[in-house]
Amino acid sequence: MRKSPPFDSQYEAAVGLAEKIAAEGAYCVACISDFSTDETQSADEVFLEQNARFQADIADGAALDALLAELVFSLDRLTAEVSADLDSFRGLTLREKMAGWTSRQRMWRMYTERVREAPVVERLLDLLTKSDALARLIASQRVWITERHKAAERGLVDIVEQRRRLVDSIDIARLKMKELNAKALTTQGRIGVYGNRAHWEQMEAERRALKAEAERISAEEHEMRDDSQRREHFIGLFQSFVDSLNGRIAACNVLLRKLMIDVEERLIIYQAQVDTDRPGMKMRIKPEFFPDIAAPIRLFEKGMLVAQDLERRKSRADLEATGRFPAYGEPLPEASGAPLIDTARGSFRLRLPFPRS
């Protein structure tokens, strides 16, 4: 498994890329909205410019989704490391065992104090802080993308409807041309057969007028056909943009779902690590301190987080996230196959629930 870059630098990179995408995405949506009102927007040279910018924005969106996924999975791996460190506390030190020869109560008190003094609590709080920042970034992206998707889709529907009317006009022009050519041919056949010379000259003038009108409509039909083909190119480009936004909304949903379930896991580990009845311990985790992951924290406050229920939901969320972002979902083989919390004995014993991502 490749080693992930530091969280903070990756997070800053994601924030910077999100700001860039916000500006470029607004430009792309404006292009779609303006397309139906400005005929010059369908020019070939405009397509070349916009195609480059749209494709770059789509690529940046995919890159940002990958960054966000890597951040979510990196926090999951850090949680696995914390859990593994806690697992190392299951055994007693020699000093604690010697104390147990005279007082088992003193032995377990020494063990409890050692576990409490470990930096694991601070590491868990740091993971919750990072989780809150990441949840805020992903949620803001989802809101922004959803708004842009709705606006772009509305514009695309209007453009498609315009092209449909253009195609109808082309069909009507072709029928009119066919009708005029047929009349001109009929008139030509009558010349020299009926009437006198003056009448023939009049029919010839009518034939020429019919042919001229047919040629005029043919030129218009040719222009409309070229315009329709250019619009088809733009519609394909705009559809790709709308599809990419729709895919990004789904990616944000998957990542947020996994992140929130992973936060529940961190809270369960915290709950197993510390005596939350000790003064000040439970107060360190409040919804107002972590507003963007407040939902699982409220469950934590009410004592409603259950490790057994979490295992099933986390397995499903991990599979879904790994399916969408396989590059970041490699399991940790050394941490697989054990339950999340070993509740058979002391509250400090932690294990991991399943092959982790």
Side-chain angles (χ1 to χ4, degrees):
M1 181 192 309
R2 66 185 182 85
K3 184 178 179 60
S4 297
F7 178 92
D8 291 340
S9 62
Q10 286 289 87
Y11 181 81
E12 290 176 4
V15 170
L17 186 53
E19 292 174 353
K20 176 186 176 184
I21 290 174
E24 282 299 302
Y27 166 83
C28 292
V29 173
C31 285
I32 295 175
S33 300
D34 294 342
F35 185 86
S36 59
T37 59
D38 186 356
E39 293 182 358
T40 62
Q41 292 290 325
S42 64
D44 291 337
E45 58 272 17
V46 175
F47 177 80
L48 293 175
E49 176 188 353
Q50 291 190 0
N51 182 60
R53 295 190 68 167
F54 271 72
Q55 295 299 339
D57 184 75
I58 292 172
D60 285 343
L64 178 56
D65 290 346
L67 266 176
L68 296 175
E70 185 164 15
L71 288 168
V72 170
F73 279 104
S74 68
L75 290 182
D76 198 10
R77 284 190 280 270
L78 290 173
T79 304
E81 294 175 6
V82 172
S83 186
D85 289 346
L86 289 178
D87 194 51
S88 67
F89 288 124
R90 291 192 307 148
L92 296 170
T93 65
L94 178 60
R95 183 166 171 267
E96 290 162 353
K97 290 178 180 178
M98 292 177 64
W101 294 345
T102 57
S103 171
R104 294 189 61 80
Q105 184 179 6
R106 183 167 177 266
M107 176 186 73
W108 288 114
R109 185 169 62 250
M110 291 172 62
Y111 168 81
T112 299
E113 289 301 321
R114 175 169 63 89
V115 173
R116 285 175 177 167
E117 292 301 322
V120 173
V121 170
E122 298 303 325
R123 290 169 64 187
L124 286 170
L125 290 174
D126 181 62
L127 284 175
L128 291 175
T129 300
K130 287 180 168 62
S131 299
D132 189 65
L134 184 54
R136 180 166 55 254
L137 178 57
I138 298 175
S140 66
Q141 278 294 294
R142 182 173 63 179
V143 170
W144 179 90
I145 297 167
T146 301
E147 292 174 353
R148 296 296 187 272
H149 179 266
K150 289 179 180 178
E153 193 170 48
R154 284 196 301 269
L156 179 59
V157 169
D158 291 341
I159 294 168
V160 170
E161 178 60 22
Q162 277 187 342
R163 183 173 179 273
R164 186 192 66 77
R165 291 196 296 268
L166 183 60
V167 171
D168 289 344
S169 298
I170 292 172
D171 291 339
I172 292 172
R174 287 173 176 170
L175 289 174
K176 186 66 174 177
M177 286 164 47
K178 184 178 180 180
E179 178 184 352
L180 290 170
N181 285 325
K183 286 184 178 180
L185 186 62
T186 300
T187 302
Q188 181 179 355
R190 294 173 59 191
I191 297 174
V193 177
Y194 301 102
N196 54 31
R197 186 175 186 82
H199 189 205
W200 297 343
E201 290 176 351
Q202 179 184 355
M203 287 191 292
E204 175 62 17
E206 291 177 359
R207 184 192 69 79
R208 289 177 180 175
L210 290 170
K211 291 296 292 184
E213 179 66 9
E215 289 173 359
R216 184 189 67 79
I217 294 176
S218 176
E220 290 182 353
E221 186 269 344
H222 184 75
E223 290 179 0
M224 288 190 293
R225 183 155 31 92
D226 288 344
D227 188 25
S228 176
Q229 290 173 351
R230 287 194 298 269
R231 288 175 180 273
E232 186 176 10
H233 293 155
F234 279 94
I235 289 172
L237 175 60
F238 296 159
Q239 184 66 61
S240 296
F241 177 73
V242 171
D243 290 344
S244 72
L245 293 178
N246 189 56
R248 294 200 62 211
I249 293 171
C252 286
N253 289 336
V254 168
L255 292 176
L256 269 180
R257 186 155 48 246
K258 173 172 170 54
L259 181 59
M260 289 302 175
I261 291 175
D262 289 349
V263 167
E264 290 186 35
E265 180 186 22
R266 285 152 207 158
L267 292 169
I268 287 177
I269 293 174
Y270 180 88
Q271 189 170 270
Q273 160 67 5
V274 303
D275 182 357
T276 51
D277 292 331
R278 285 179 62 194
M281 293 306 294
K282 199 166 186 178
M283 290 299 294
R284 300 181 74 178
I285 300 182
K286 303 287 288 182
E288 52 267 31
F289 299 158
F290 307 97
D292 294 282
I293 54 172
I297 290 177
R298 292 192 184 97
L299 296 176
F300 166 76
E301 285 187 314
K302 298 175 183 179
M304 297 175 63
L305 294 180
V306 181
Q308 289 76 9
D309 172 66
L310 175 65
E311 292 181 12
R312 174 182 52 79
R313 291 186 293 112
K314 181 168 171 56
S315 290
R316 188 164 59 245
D318 282 353
L319 285 174
E320 188 177 11
T322 301
R324 182 169 283 271
F325 301 99
Y328 306 106
E330 302 93 337
L332 290 174
E334 67 273 15
S336 62
L340 173 66
I341 305 291
D342 184 354
T343 55
R345 200 163 143 334
S347 63
F348 307 111
R349 299 183 176 183
L350 291 92
R351 296 276 184 86
L352 302 180
F354 26 67
R356 298 179 55 93
S357 51

